[in-house]
Amino acid sequence: METSRRRRATVIDVAEHAGVSRGTVSRYLNGGRYVSDDARTAIEAAIERVGFIPNRAARSLVMQRSQAIGLIVHEPHSLFVQDPNIASILLGANEAMSEADYQMACLIADSSRDVERLTKFLSGGLIDGVIIVSAREGDAITKAITSLDLPAAFVGHPRDIGDAAFVAIDNRGAARDITRRLAATGRSRIGMVAAALDRDSGADRLAGFVDALGTSFDPQLVESVPLYSHADGERGMRALLERCPDIDGVFASSDAVAAGAMEALRAAGRTVPGDVGVVGFDDSSWALRCDPPLSTVHQPAAELGREAALSVLRQLAGDFSAQAVRLECPVVWRDSA
């Protein structure tokens, strides 16, 4: 039995119903130049009446644009779905792209094979520009973007991106501020579960921690873990307790890491903040899920994503004037310290 499909409405249908030429409809669809207000009103009514959907593929061939921007997250798949900061960055970027009638393509780089595959994809002309989250120094994706001369903006500021556009916060200064605030509560043996030291955010947060403690900094009180994850927070805190059982304060380099550290402290019979004061970084949903609520640094993740998208869109429009954007990240003090 044959099934019939409804014929897709065309520019000709719109022109006939609007009582204008096909050229007028095409000019309207390509930006509205030289289209009178009366013709515009008639065309919009005709589009609604006939159910016309513009053929983006054909339009892209004419404009040599895909109307798509890639958002590349260089993190494991598990962290992509678990980390509320990544979700907020994604939503903020998508909002800005949607307002500009651009589509977002989410691309995850979990392994070296993923990086190789994405590098090939980027060279195919299927996206107009990219936003890069969690890039590492020496990242193959960064090198590919540079060689292809793609409009790009980084969330964060890897050391080797030259004069490429980026949107960032002062990770080092914020880490210094919250560590000093923790020390001011009377803690004298303050440690850190330092995550993601292979990227600028993690390395800068550790540097801020060292700045805050000055001559009282003890490298034995720092435990390095690979990821901004709850599981790594637990593992890091257990290692610190085994090595330095007299620890009485902890700066965890993300809220997820802090939540894991608090879990390990509870399992070891330590109270928070009675025995050990704990602070984090991000002011994500993890912070309010902690018990007690977590003192932390507010990272404006959605705004980082939005500003990165706006940067790429400006570049696509030929405006390369604003290459660096830095956002405020104040300390938010709660009961965990």
Side-chain angles (χ1 to χ4, degrees):
M1 178 179 175
E2 284 192 9
T3 58
S4 61
R5 291 171 57 187
R6 182 182 176 185
R7 184 178 70 85
R8 178 171 176 162
T10 67
V11 169
I12 296 172
D13 298 320
V14 174
E16 288 178 353
H17 280 77
V20 299
S21 70
R22 280 176 285 176
T24 301
V25 175
S26 294
R27 286 196 299 276
Y28 169 84
L29 294 173
N30 287 299
R33 295 185 67 190
Y34 312 117
V35 179
S36 69
D37 290 342
D38 288 345
R40 184 187 307 276
T41 301
I43 290 168
E44 289 171 353
I47 287 173
E48 182 73 23
R49 192 180 312 124
V50 303
F52 174 74
I53 300 173
N55 187 330
R56 283 191 175 276
R59 186 180 178 193
S60 295
L61 287 172
V62 174
M63 299 178 68
Q64 294 187 319
R65 289 276 176 88
S66 67
Q67 293 294 111
I69 294 173
L71 188 143
I72 301 173
V73 180
H74 196 165
E75 295 285 8
H77 297 147
S78 58
L79 204 62
F80 181 84
V81 297
Q82 293 174 9
D83 190 327
N85 284 312
I86 293 174
S88 293
I89 289 169
L90 184 152
L91 291 173
N94 187 66
E95 180 184 33
M97 291 182 210
S98 177
E99 290 170 0
D101 202 26
Y102 268 75
Q103 180 62 44
M104 181 170 67
C106 292
L107 310 167
I108 308 171
D110 186 354
S111 64
S112 57
R113 183 175 178 275
D114 285 342
V115 171
E116 183 180 346
R117 174 177 53 81
L118 283 176
T119 301
K120 291 177 180 176
F121 175 80
L122 293 174
S123 64
L126 298 174
I127 55 175
D128 297 334
V130 289
I131 297 166
I132 308 95
V133 181
S134 296
R136 278 75 159 165
E137 194 167 340
D139 203 316
I141 294 173
T142 302
K143 292 176 182 177
I145 291 165
T146 303
S147 65
L148 293 168
D149 200 25
L150 273 173
F154 291 79
V155 176
H157 189 205
R159 306 289 184 259
D160 61 344
I161 63 172
D163 60 356
F166 68 90
V167 183
I169 59 171
D170 182 5
N171 284 287
R172 185 168 184 163
R176 181 173 59 245
D177 290 346
I178 198 164
T179 302
R180 285 175 175 168
R181 183 86 178 259
L182 177 60
T185 66
R187 319 282 171 174
S188 60
R189 293 285 288 165
I190 299 175
M192 179 178 181
V193 183
L197 296 181
D198 60 343
R199 64 208 78 168
D200 63 293
S201 59
D204 284 351
R205 291 172 198 181
L206 174 58
F209 175 77
V210 175
D211 291 345
L213 295 182
T215 56
S216 64
F217 169 69
D218 181 354
Q220 287 294 306
L221 285 166
V222 175
E223 181 65 21
S224 173
V225 296
L227 299 173
Y228 293 124
S229 72
H230 184 279
D232 276 358
E234 280 194 83
R235 281 191 290 268
M237 191 69 245
R238 285 199 298 267
L240 278 176
L241 285 170
E242 289 173 10
R243 190 165 64 245
C244 306
D246 60 339
I247 192 169
D248 62 2
V250 176
F251 169 42
S253 55
S254 82
D255 292 349
V257 172
M262 291 169 73
E263 192 71 30
L265 287 166
R266 275 191 291 271
R270 307 293 180 92
T271 62
V272 176
D275 297 323
V276 183
V278 179
V279 297
F281 201 111
D282 289 332
D283 198 21
S284 67
S285 57
W286 278 108
L288 297 179
R289 286 157 58 187
C290 288
D291 183 19
L294 185 66
S295 295
T296 186
V297 171
H298 176 71
Q299 177 165 210
E303 192 63 20
L304 287 169
R306 180 176 177 81
E307 287 294 334
L310 290 174
S311 176
V312 174
L313 290 166
R314 283 193 296 269
Q315 292 172 56
L316 287 168
D319 179 4
F320 296 87
S321 58
Q323 295 288 10
V325 177
R326 295 189 185 274
L327 302 180
E328 294 294 317
C329 50
V331 169
V332 180
W333 202 251
R334 299 191 178 100
D335 297 336
S336 64

